[in-house]
């Protein structure tokens, strides 16, 4: 494999960190398809990372880093299988043909969609795992998130997430869960968890909980692609189309969400001419399919897509139909109640009825344990206080939000808002 000229250790390490973050889900998924064990697949992927840390600073970064990592993980599988007695039962299955496994044939139709990442999602969302374990494991393996990032996304302690991931991998191995996209009733059982995980992966890419970058486009693209695949796989499921529509709408705003220097741009300040109208059109079409297949009360993803559609149809922030959005959030709060949904409803109510009404809702959420360290609670409260002219209080809330966020870009934005309010 061709490689770039030798680079310094820092350059190679920085490149590896970026590549591994983007490519590790694909490497894990590709190897898991061979070894049929997500725990082993993750170990092989980590071994490939160690090999890259040793070789890339000396030999240079490969032209195709993802392919290099995948090939290295595959090659090391045989050595690991032979070296560890606990892998002996795998040797008969994979030892002979690991090096020569051919890619799967192209799918012949929607029911036969063959995608390693989608297989990984369905495997890690198996009902033998608890709902919390399914989501944590899938975000860890497919989303490439650290345990700290997952903990922030779920508003739970980091050790709790680490335990869930370890136990989930052991359970899948012990139960010998097949690496597959299931059919029939088995697929229906796992669908809710699959949708939730895809959405959480997208959200981590859309507004990263930690790090130096506000956006992680690779995660957004993976999640959107998985949602589209799932919509093709399950054309009669309204919530699948609802999720696809929601991600299309959200993705349409990507170019307008950051300034040239990477600084976040708030929704009110975004240049809507930079919104991708092709993705908006795709979102509208997916939402139409969701509504056409829905037989009763719309589900959470259909409702969220409808909210996103209200934003997409408005040519300016001032023209947004906030009353419709507040009403939709009311339906969503009844259908899938959560403190975060209620916080979003507070923002919509504040725009439709005034900041005082929104502040009442936010203050009622102050005692919610799940929102204790959630930076968006003081951020929203700060904005409402600013609009009410209570600038000193607003500044303090923005500063508190800045202390709570793990994202550097967002911290800079919140501190700037604190200074402006003060």
């Amino acid at each position: 494999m061709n490689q770039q000229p030798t680079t310094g250790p820092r350059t190679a390490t920085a490149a590896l960190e970026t590549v591994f973050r983007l490519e590790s889900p694909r490497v894990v998924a590709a190897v898991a398809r061979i070894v049929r064990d997500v725990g082993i697949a993750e170990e092989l992927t980590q071994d490939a990372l160690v090999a890259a840390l040793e070789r890339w600073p000396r030999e240079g970064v490969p032209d195709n880093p993802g392919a290099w990592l995948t090939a290295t993980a595959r090659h090391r599988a045989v050595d690991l299988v032979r070296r560890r007695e606990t892998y002996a039962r795998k040797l008969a299955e994979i030892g002979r043909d690991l090096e020569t496994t051919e890619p799967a044939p192209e799918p012949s139709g929607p029911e036969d969609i063959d995608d390693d990442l989608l297989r990984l999602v369905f495997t890690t969302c198996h009902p033998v795992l608890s709902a919390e374990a399914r989501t944590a494991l899938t975000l860890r393996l497919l989303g490439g998130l650290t345990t700290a990032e997952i903990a922030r996304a779920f508003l739970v302690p980091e050790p709790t997430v680490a335990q869930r991931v370890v136990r989930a991998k052991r359970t899948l191995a012990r139960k010998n869960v097949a690496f597959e996209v299931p059919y029939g009733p088995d697929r229906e059982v796992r669908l809710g968890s699959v949708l939730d995980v895809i959405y959480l992966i997208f959200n981590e890419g859309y507004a990263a909980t930690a790090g130096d970058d506000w956006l992680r486009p690779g995660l957004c693209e993976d999640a959107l692609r998985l949602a589209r695949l799932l919509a093709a796989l399950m054309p009669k499921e309204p919530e699948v189309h609802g999720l696809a529509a929601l991600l299309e709408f959200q993705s349409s705003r990507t170019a307008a969400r950051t300034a040239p220097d990477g600084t976040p741009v708030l929704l009110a300040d975004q240049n809507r001419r930079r919104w991708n109208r092709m993705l908006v059109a795709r979102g509208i079409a997916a939402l139409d399919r969701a509504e056409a297949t829905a037989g009763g009360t719309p589900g959470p993803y259909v409702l969220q897509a409808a909210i996103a559609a209200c934003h997409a149809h408005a040519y300016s922030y001032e023209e947004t139909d906030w009353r419709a959005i507040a009403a939709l959030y009311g339906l969503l709060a009844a259908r899938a109640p959560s403190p975060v949904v209620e916080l979003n409803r507070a923002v919509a109510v504040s725009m439709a009825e005034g900041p005082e009404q929104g502040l009442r809702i936010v203050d009622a959420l102050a005692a919610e344990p799940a929102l204790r360290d959630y930076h968006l609670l003081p951020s929203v409260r700060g904005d409402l206080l600013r609009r009410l002219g209570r600038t000193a209080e607003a500044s303090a809330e923005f500063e508190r939000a800045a202390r709570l966020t793990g994202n550097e870009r967002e911290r800079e934005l919140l501190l700037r808002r604190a200074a402006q309010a003060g």
Side-chain angles (χ1 to χ4, degrees):
M1 185 179 295
N2 293 331
Q3 293 186 308
Q4 298 172 5
T6 302
T7 54
R10 289 186 179 179
T11 303
T13 301
L16 178 57
E17 289 175 356
T18 301
V19 169
F20 192 75
R21 188 94 181 197
L22 296 173
E23 297 292 341
S24 62
R26 294 182 178 87
V27 179
V28 171
V31 177
R33 187 178 182 192
I34 299 168
V35 300
R36 305 285 170 171
D37 187 309
V38 294
I40 295 175
E42 188 178 27
E43 287 187 26
L44 295 173
T45 303
Q46 293 293 334
D47 282 351
L49 171 64
V50 172
L53 284 170
E54 293 172 350
R55 294 178 56 180
W56 289 12
R58 182 177 66 253
E59 301 175 5
V61 179
D63 290 339
N64 190 333
W68 190 99
L69 289 169
T70 301
T72 301
R74 286 165 56 94
H75 293 159
R76 286 179 173 255
V78 171
D79 292 337
L80 277 171
V81 168
R82 291 171 177 167
R83 193 164 61 242
R84 299 182 182 181
E85 289 184 359
T86 56
Y87 292 168
R89 62 185 178 85
K90 298 289 183 181
L91 183 58
E93 301 171 13
I94 66 170
R96 292 188 299 273
D97 61 358
L98 186 59
E99 300 288 344
T100 59
T101 301
E102 295 294 331
E106 289 297 316
S108 57
E111 282 296 308
D112 295 317
I113 286 180
D114 186 13
D115 181 271
D116 285 340
L117 289 178
L118 196 59
R119 287 171 184 266
L120 183 58
V121 175
F122 271 100
T123 300
T124 54
C125 288
H126 196 282
V128 298
L129 303 177
S130 68
E132 296 83 2
R134 296 173 209 164
T135 307
L137 180 60
T138 309
L139 288 173
R140 179 74 185 91
L141 296 181
L142 189 134
L145 275 63
T146 65
T147 53
E149 290 168 340
I150 299 170
R152 291 185 67 84
F154 279 103
L155 308 177
V156 296
E158 186 176 342
T160 300
V161 173
Q163 290 174 0
R164 288 175 184 173
V165 170
V166 171
R167 290 171 183 168
K169 287 189 289 187
R170 289 174 179 169
T171 300
L172 290 177
R174 188 174 66 252
K175 298 289 186 180
N176 198 26
V177 172
F179 185 68
E180 63 182 4
V181 176
Y183 294 87
D186 288 343
R187 182 184 295 171
E188 305 297 330
V189 169
R190 302 189 213 179
L191 181 59
S193 291
V194 170
L195 296 179
D196 291 345
V197 166
I198 292 174
Y199 186 42
L200 285 168
I201 291 170
F202 181 88
N203 278 344
E204 181 59 29
Y206 194 69
T209 55
D212 297 328
D213 296 320
W214 172 239
L215 293 174
R216 293 171 60 188
L219 287 180
C220 292
E221 291 166 5
D222 273 347
L224 181 56
R225 185 177 64 81
L226 288 170
R228 290 171 178 171
L229 279 172
L230 205 57
L233 188 66
M234 309 180 73
K236 296 182 180 180
E237 287 291 339
E239 278 291 84
V240 173
H241 293 301
L243 176 64
L246 175 60
L247 301 196
E248 300 281 7
F249 285 131
Q250 300 288 71
S251 296
S252 72
R253 307 178 197 168
T254 299
R257 294 188 68 242
T258 55
D261 63 354
T263 302
V265 178
L266 298 174
L267 180 64
D269 302 324
Q270 288 175 17
N271 179 358
R272 300 194 175 203
R273 288 176 294 182
R274 298 190 66 199
W275 286 10
N276 188 319
R277 286 295 152 185
M278 182 189 73
L279 293 179
V280 170
R282 291 184 65 110
I284 292 170
L287 183 57
D288 288 343
R289 286 192 292 272
E291 293 172 345
T293 54
T297 305
Y301 288 112
V302 175
L303 288 170
Q304 290 179 79
I307 292 169
C310 290
H311 290 293
H313 286 305
Y315 287 100
S316 69
Y317 189 74
E318 292 71 25
E319 294 176 41
T320 305
D321 189 347
W322 288 107
R323 291 192 178 278
I325 292 175
L328 287 167
Y329 268 120
L331 293 175
L332 181 60
R335 185 76 167 77
S338 82
V340 174
V341 169
E342 194 67 5
L343 183 61
N344 287 328
R345 188 176 76 85
V347 174
V349 168
S350 77
M351 297 303 298
E353 303 176 17
E356 301 93 341
Q357 300 299 323
L359 187 60
R360 289 194 184 97
I361 299 173
V362 171
D363 286 345
L365 293 171
E368 282 286 346
L371 298 182
R372 183 179 58 188
D373 297 322
Y374 189 50
H375 71 284
L376 290 182
L377 178 64
S379 175
V380 168
R381 192 169 190 274
D383 189 60
L384 296 175
L385 291 169
R386 178 191 60 80
R387 288 166 57 192
L388 288 168
R390 295 160 61 178
T391 54
E393 294 173 83
S395 181
E397 288 295 284
F398 286 132
E399 288 178 354
R400 185 161 76 93
R403 290 194 298 271
L404 290 174
T405 184
N407 185 280
E408 290 300 322
R409 291 290 189 177
E410 193 170 25
R411 181 177 292 111
E412 293 169 3
L413 172 65
L414 289 166
L415 289 175
R416 189 162 58 250
R417 298 194 74 191
Q420 291 169 348

